Protein backbone atom coordinates (compact mmCIF):
# COMPACT_ATOMS: atom_id res chain seq x y z
CA UNK A 1 0.00 0.00 0.00
CA UNK A 2 1.18 3.50 -0.80
CA UNK A 3 1.22 4.72 2.80
CA UNK A 4 3.20 1.70 4.08
CA UNK A 5 5.64 1.83 1.19
CA UNK A 6 6.33 5.49 1.85
CA UNK A 7 6.90 4.85 5.51
CA UNK A 8 9.28 1.96 4.77
CA UNK A 9 11.17 4.04 2.27
CA UNK A 10 12.06 6.56 4.98
CA UNK A 11 13.52 3.96 7.35
CA UNK A 12 17.28 4.34 7.90
CA UNK A 13 19.63 1.64 6.71
CA UNK A 14 19.82 -1.37 9.03
CA UNK A 15 22.75 -1.50 11.50
CA UNK A 16 25.14 -4.43 11.67
CA UNK A 17 23.73 -7.07 13.96
CA UNK A 18 25.38 -7.44 17.34
CA UNK A 19 26.13 -10.81 18.94
CA UNK A 20 23.07 -12.17 20.72
CA UNK A 21 20.61 -10.04 18.69
CA UNK A 22 17.37 -11.55 17.41
CA UNK A 23 17.48 -13.04 13.97
CA UNK A 24 16.93 -10.36 11.30
CA UNK A 25 14.08 -12.28 9.65
CA UNK A 26 12.18 -12.55 12.93
CA UNK A 27 12.67 -8.86 13.74
CA UNK A 28 11.57 -7.84 10.24
CA UNK A 29 8.42 -9.95 10.52
CA UNK A 30 7.55 -8.31 13.83
CA UNK A 31 8.17 -4.84 12.39
CA UNK A 32 5.96 -5.57 9.39
CA UNK A 33 3.19 -6.83 11.66
CA UNK A 34 3.29 -3.59 13.65
CA UNK A 35 3.06 -1.49 10.49
CA UNK A 36 0.16 -3.52 9.12
CA UNK A 37 -1.85 -3.49 12.34
CA UNK A 38 -4.80 -1.05 12.07
CA UNK A 39 -4.60 2.03 14.24
CA UNK A 40 -8.22 1.67 15.40
CA UNK A 41 -10.32 -1.31 16.30
CA UNK A 42 -13.02 -2.38 13.86
CA UNK A 43 -16.46 -2.28 15.40
CA UNK A 44 -18.21 -5.60 15.65
CA UNK A 45 -21.59 -3.94 15.03
CA UNK A 46 -23.33 -4.34 11.71
CA UNK A 47 -23.51 -0.86 10.07
CA UNK A 48 -26.83 -1.82 8.45
CA UNK A 49 -28.36 -2.26 11.91
CA UNK A 50 -27.27 1.18 13.14
CA UNK A 51 -30.19 3.37 14.10
CA UNK A 52 -30.96 6.09 11.59
CA UNK A 53 -31.18 9.60 12.98
CA UNK A 54 -34.72 11.04 12.89
CA UNK A 55 -35.32 13.57 10.13
CA UNK A 56 -34.94 17.13 11.31
CA UNK A 57 -38.26 18.91 11.61
CA UNK A 58 -38.66 22.21 9.73
CA UNK A 59 -38.13 25.16 12.05
CA UNK A 60 -41.16 26.97 10.62
CA UNK A 61 -44.70 25.59 10.84
CA UNK A 62 -47.54 27.15 8.85
CA UNK A 63 -51.19 26.51 9.71
CA UNK A 64 -53.36 27.40 6.74
CA UNK A 65 -56.59 26.97 4.77
CA UNK A 66 -56.07 25.99 1.15
CA UNK A 67 -59.05 27.88 -0.41
CA UNK A 68 -58.06 31.23 1.16
CA UNK A 69 -56.15 33.92 -0.73
CA UNK A 70 -54.91 35.36 2.58
CA UNK A 71 -53.31 32.00 3.30
CA UNK A 72 -52.18 31.68 -0.30
CA UNK A 73 -50.06 34.82 0.15
CA UNK A 74 -47.87 33.28 2.84
CA UNK A 75 -47.75 29.91 1.10
CA UNK A 76 -46.44 31.61 -2.06
CA UNK A 77 -43.99 33.71 -0.05
CA UNK A 78 -42.51 30.76 1.84
CA UNK A 79 -41.92 28.90 -1.41
CA UNK A 80 -40.54 31.91 -3.27
CA UNK A 81 -38.17 32.61 -0.37
CA UNK A 82 -37.04 28.98 -0.26
CA UNK A 83 -37.82 28.68 3.45
CA UNK A 84 -37.73 25.27 5.09
CA UNK A 85 -41.25 24.91 6.40
CA UNK A 86 -44.15 22.53 6.90
CA UNK A 87 -47.83 23.19 6.23
CA UNK A 88 -50.81 21.99 8.25
CA UNK A 89 -54.32 22.28 6.85
CA UNK A 90 -56.51 23.39 9.78
CA UNK A 91 -59.83 23.50 7.92
CA UNK A 92 -62.53 23.08 10.59
CA UNK A 93 -60.02 23.16 13.46
CA UNK A 94 -59.44 26.87 14.11
CA UNK A 95 -62.05 26.96 16.88
CA UNK A 96 -60.70 23.89 18.64
CA UNK A 97 -59.42 24.37 22.22
CA UNK A 98 -55.91 23.39 21.12
CA UNK A 99 -55.79 25.97 18.33
CA UNK A 100 -57.47 28.69 20.40
CA UNK A 101 -54.96 28.16 23.21
CA UNK A 102 -52.18 29.19 20.81
CA UNK A 103 -54.18 31.64 18.71
CA UNK A 104 -57.11 33.27 20.57
CA UNK A 105 -57.99 35.20 17.40
CA UNK A 106 -58.57 31.79 15.68
CA UNK A 107 -57.15 33.19 12.44
CA UNK A 108 -55.13 31.80 9.58
CA UNK A 109 -52.52 31.87 8.25
CA UNK A 110 -50.54 31.33 11.42
CA UNK A 111 -46.87 30.51 11.78
CA UNK A 112 -45.07 28.97 14.73
CA UNK A 113 -41.47 30.06 15.16
CA UNK A 114 -39.16 29.90 18.16
CA UNK A 115 -38.02 33.49 17.73
CA UNK A 116 -41.48 34.95 18.37
CA UNK A 117 -42.35 36.35 21.83
CA UNK A 118 -45.54 34.25 22.00
CA UNK A 119 -44.37 31.52 19.67
CA UNK A 120 -46.97 32.26 17.00
CA UNK A 121 -47.88 35.02 14.57
CA UNK A 122 -50.92 35.56 12.39
CA UNK A 123 -51.96 38.12 9.69
CA UNK A 124 -50.46 37.45 6.26
CA UNK A 125 -48.70 40.80 5.81
CA UNK A 126 -47.15 40.71 9.29
CA UNK A 127 -45.93 37.15 8.69
CA UNK A 128 -44.25 38.06 5.40
CA UNK A 129 -42.66 41.17 6.91
CA UNK A 130 -41.33 39.22 9.90
CA UNK A 131 -39.86 36.38 7.85
CA UNK A 132 -38.36 38.75 5.28
CA UNK A 133 -36.70 40.72 8.07
CA UNK A 134 -35.48 37.61 9.87
CA UNK A 135 -33.93 36.04 6.79
CA UNK A 136 -32.71 39.22 5.09
CA UNK A 137 -34.93 38.79 2.02
CA UNK A 138 -34.36 42.24 0.54
CA UNK A 139 -35.43 41.16 -2.93
CA UNK A 140 -38.94 40.55 -1.59
CA UNK A 141 -38.92 43.30 1.04
CA UNK A 142 -36.31 46.04 0.46
CA UNK A 143 -34.53 47.59 3.44
CA UNK A 144 -34.23 51.09 1.96
CA UNK A 145 -36.75 53.17 3.98
CA UNK A 146 -38.43 54.85 0.99
CA UNK A 147 -38.84 51.64 -1.02
CA UNK A 148 -40.02 49.74 2.03
CA UNK A 149 -42.55 52.45 2.84
CA UNK A 150 -44.15 52.03 -0.57
CA UNK A 151 -44.40 48.26 -0.09
CA UNK A 152 -45.97 48.75 3.34
CA UNK A 153 -48.36 51.40 2.04
CA UNK A 154 -49.51 49.15 -0.79
CA UNK A 155 -50.19 46.26 1.60
CA UNK A 156 -52.03 48.40 4.15
CA UNK A 157 -54.10 50.02 1.41
CA UNK A 158 -54.99 46.57 0.17
CA UNK A 159 -56.11 45.14 3.50
CA UNK A 160 -57.81 48.38 4.54
CA UNK A 161 -59.58 49.34 1.30
CA UNK A 162 -59.43 46.83 -1.55
CA UNK A 163 -59.84 43.58 0.36
CA UNK A 164 -63.03 44.61 2.22
CA UNK A 165 -64.62 45.29 -1.18
CA UNK A 166 -63.39 41.96 -2.53
CA UNK A 167 -64.72 40.16 0.56
CA UNK A 168 -68.16 41.77 0.26
CA UNK A 169 -68.27 40.95 -3.43
CA UNK A 170 -67.05 37.35 -3.28
CA UNK A 171 -67.74 35.84 0.15
CA UNK A 172 -71.49 35.31 -0.50
CA UNK A 173 -70.61 33.21 -3.56
CA UNK A 174 -67.64 31.47 -1.91
CA UNK A 175 -69.86 30.46 1.03
CA UNK A 176 -67.48 32.14 3.45
CA UNK A 177 -68.98 33.71 6.61
CA UNK A 178 -69.24 37.47 6.32
CA UNK A 179 -68.11 39.93 8.95
CA UNK A 180 -70.38 41.01 11.78
CA UNK A 181 -72.02 44.34 11.04
CA UNK A 182 -72.05 43.75 7.30
CA UNK A 183 -75.37 43.68 5.48
CA UNK A 184 -74.55 40.22 4.21
CA UNK A 185 -74.26 38.97 7.81
CA UNK A 186 -77.58 40.49 8.88
CA UNK A 187 -81.21 39.44 8.53
CA UNK A 188 -81.76 42.07 5.85
CA UNK A 189 -83.90 41.26 2.83
CA UNK A 190 -82.01 39.39 0.08
CA UNK A 191 -82.49 42.40 -2.20
CA UNK A 192 -80.59 44.59 0.26
CA UNK A 193 -77.78 42.04 0.42
CA UNK A 194 -77.67 41.90 -3.35
CA UNK A 195 -77.47 45.70 -3.56
CA UNK A 196 -74.57 45.75 -1.07
CA UNK A 197 -72.72 43.10 -3.03
CA UNK A 198 -73.25 44.99 -6.29
CA UNK A 199 -71.99 48.23 -4.72
CA UNK A 200 -68.83 46.47 -3.50
CA UNK A 201 -68.19 45.05 -6.97
CA UNK A 202 -68.48 48.50 -8.50
CA UNK A 203 -66.15 49.97 -5.86
CA UNK A 204 -63.29 47.60 -6.69
CA UNK A 205 -62.29 49.47 -9.86
CA UNK A 206 -61.02 52.58 -8.04
CA UNK A 207 -58.45 51.01 -5.66
CA UNK A 208 -57.44 48.63 -8.42
CA UNK A 209 -56.51 51.58 -10.60
CA UNK A 210 -54.55 53.08 -7.71
CA UNK A 211 -52.32 50.01 -7.66
CA UNK A 212 -51.79 50.32 -11.39
CA UNK A 213 -51.16 54.05 -11.74
CA UNK A 214 -49.62 54.89 -8.37
CA UNK A 215 -47.91 51.89 -6.79
CA UNK A 216 -46.69 50.28 -10.01
CA UNK A 217 -46.28 53.59 -11.88
CA UNK A 218 -45.04 52.00 -15.11
CA UNK A 219 -42.94 49.32 -13.38
CA UNK A 220 -43.58 45.60 -13.90
CA UNK A 221 -44.31 45.16 -10.20
CA UNK A 222 -44.84 47.22 -7.06
CA UNK A 223 -41.39 46.02 -6.04
CA UNK A 224 -39.87 47.18 -9.33
CA UNK A 225 -38.30 44.54 -11.58
CA UNK A 226 -39.10 41.75 -9.12
CA UNK A 227 -42.30 40.89 -7.21
CA UNK A 228 -42.36 42.04 -3.60
CA UNK A 229 -44.48 40.83 -0.70
CA UNK A 230 -47.01 43.51 -1.70
CA UNK A 231 -47.21 42.02 -5.18
CA UNK A 232 -47.75 38.54 -3.78
CA UNK A 233 -50.56 39.87 -1.58
CA UNK A 234 -52.24 41.76 -4.43
CA UNK A 235 -52.04 38.95 -6.99
CA UNK A 236 -53.43 36.44 -4.50
CA UNK A 237 -56.32 38.77 -3.64
CA UNK A 238 -57.28 39.18 -7.29
CA UNK A 239 -57.60 35.39 -7.63
CA UNK A 240 -60.92 35.52 -5.74
CA UNK A 241 -62.51 37.79 -8.35
CA UNK A 242 -62.78 34.87 -10.75
CA UNK A 243 -65.67 33.47 -8.70
CA UNK A 244 -67.88 36.43 -9.70
CA UNK A 245 -66.54 36.69 -13.28
CA UNK A 246 -65.14 40.12 -12.50
CA UNK A 247 -63.89 41.83 -15.65
CA UNK A 248 -60.29 42.54 -14.73
CA UNK A 249 -58.59 45.24 -16.81
CA UNK A 250 -55.99 43.91 -19.22
CA UNK A 251 -53.08 45.30 -17.19
CA UNK A 252 -54.24 43.27 -14.16
CA UNK A 253 -54.43 40.06 -16.20
CA UNK A 254 -50.94 40.67 -17.59
CA UNK A 255 -49.68 41.56 -14.11
CA UNK A 256 -50.97 38.34 -12.54
CA UNK A 257 -49.55 36.27 -15.41
CA UNK A 258 -46.16 37.99 -15.04
CA UNK A 259 -46.02 37.23 -11.31
CA UNK A 260 -46.88 33.58 -11.87
CA UNK A 261 -44.26 33.32 -14.62
CA UNK A 262 -41.63 35.01 -12.44
CA UNK A 263 -42.32 32.88 -9.34
CA UNK A 264 -43.15 29.65 -11.15
CA UNK A 265 -44.29 26.75 -8.98
CA UNK A 266 -43.95 28.90 -5.86
CA UNK A 267 -47.04 30.75 -7.08
CA UNK A 268 -48.76 28.14 -9.23
CA UNK A 269 -49.04 25.39 -6.60
CA UNK A 270 -50.87 27.43 -3.89
CA UNK A 271 -52.90 29.19 -6.61
CA UNK A 272 -54.10 25.81 -7.85
CA UNK A 273 -55.78 25.16 -4.49
CA UNK A 274 -57.64 28.48 -4.62
CA UNK A 275 -58.62 28.00 -8.26
CA UNK A 276 -59.73 24.46 -7.54
CA UNK A 277 -62.03 25.65 -4.79
CA UNK A 278 -63.47 28.37 -7.01
CA UNK A 279 -64.11 25.81 -9.75
CA UNK A 280 -65.88 23.60 -7.22
CA UNK A 281 -68.09 26.46 -5.99
CA UNK A 282 -69.01 27.39 -9.53
CA UNK A 283 -69.84 23.79 -10.40
CA UNK A 284 -72.17 23.55 -7.40
CA UNK A 285 -73.93 26.74 -8.41
CA UNK A 286 -74.72 25.19 -11.80
CA UNK A 287 -76.17 21.98 -10.34
Amino acid sequence: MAKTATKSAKMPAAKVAKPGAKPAAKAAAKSAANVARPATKVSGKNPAKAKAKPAKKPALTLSMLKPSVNNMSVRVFARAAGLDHSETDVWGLTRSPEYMARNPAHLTPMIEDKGLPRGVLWESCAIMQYLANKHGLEKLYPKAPAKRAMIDSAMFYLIGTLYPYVARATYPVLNFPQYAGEVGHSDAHPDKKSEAQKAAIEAIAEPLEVFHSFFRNGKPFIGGKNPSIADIRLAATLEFLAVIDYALPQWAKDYMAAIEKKLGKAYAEPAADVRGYIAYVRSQANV
Side-chain angles (χ1 to χ4, degrees), residues 218-281:
K219 303 185 300 294
F221 308 106
I222 297 169
K225 293 181 180 180
N226 297 295
S228 66
I229 57 177
D231 291 290
I232 291 173
R233 191 66 185 84
L234 175 59
T237 297
L238 299 182
E239 292 283 347
F240 262 174
L241 294 178
V243 79
I244 57 172
D245 286 327
Y246 185 85
L248 283 170
Q250 190 58 47
W251 74 262
K253 295 178 182 178
D254 295 341
Y255 169 76
M256 293 174 71
I259 288 179
E260 184 164 358
K261 182 178 180 181
K262 194 80 172 180
L263 299 181
K265 289 183 179 180
Y267 186 93
E269 289 177 354
D273 289 326
V274 172
R275 294 166 185 170
Y277 182 74
I278 289 174
Y280 167 76
V281 169

Side-chain angles (χ1 to χ4, degrees), residues 210-221:
V210 171
F211 280 103
H212 175 51
S213 61
F214 182 79
F215 288 113
R216 286 181 68 224
N217 189 29
K219 303 185 300 294
F221 308 106

Side-chain angles (χ1 to χ4, degrees), residues 2 12 109 116 192 210:
L116 293 165
K192 291 293 183 181
V210 171

Side-chain angles (χ1 to χ4, degrees), residues 3-15 24 27-36:
K3 187 174 181 180
T4 304
T6 303
K7 195 169 184 179
S8 300
K10 292 181 180 179
M11 288 182 180
K15 295 181 179 179
K30 185 176 181 180
S31 176
N34 288 336
V35 172

Side-chain angles (χ1 to χ4, degrees), residues 77-101:
F77 169 83
R79 287 166 169 77
L83 299 180
D84 182 25
H85 72 290
S86 62
E87 293 183 349
T88 302
D89 191 341
V90 291
W91 184 272
L93 301 175
T94 57
R95 293 277 185 172
S96 67
E98 181 184 2
Y99 194 88
M100 293 279 286

Side-chain angles (χ1 to χ4, degrees), residues 12 21 37 51 59 62 73 95 138 155 194 196 200 225 232 254 265:
R37 186 180 296 123
K51 291 184 179 179
L62 169 62
S73 300
R95 293 277 185 172
E138 291 190 56
M155 290 195 300
S194 181
K225 293 181 180 180
I232 291 173
D254 295 341
K265 289 183 179 180

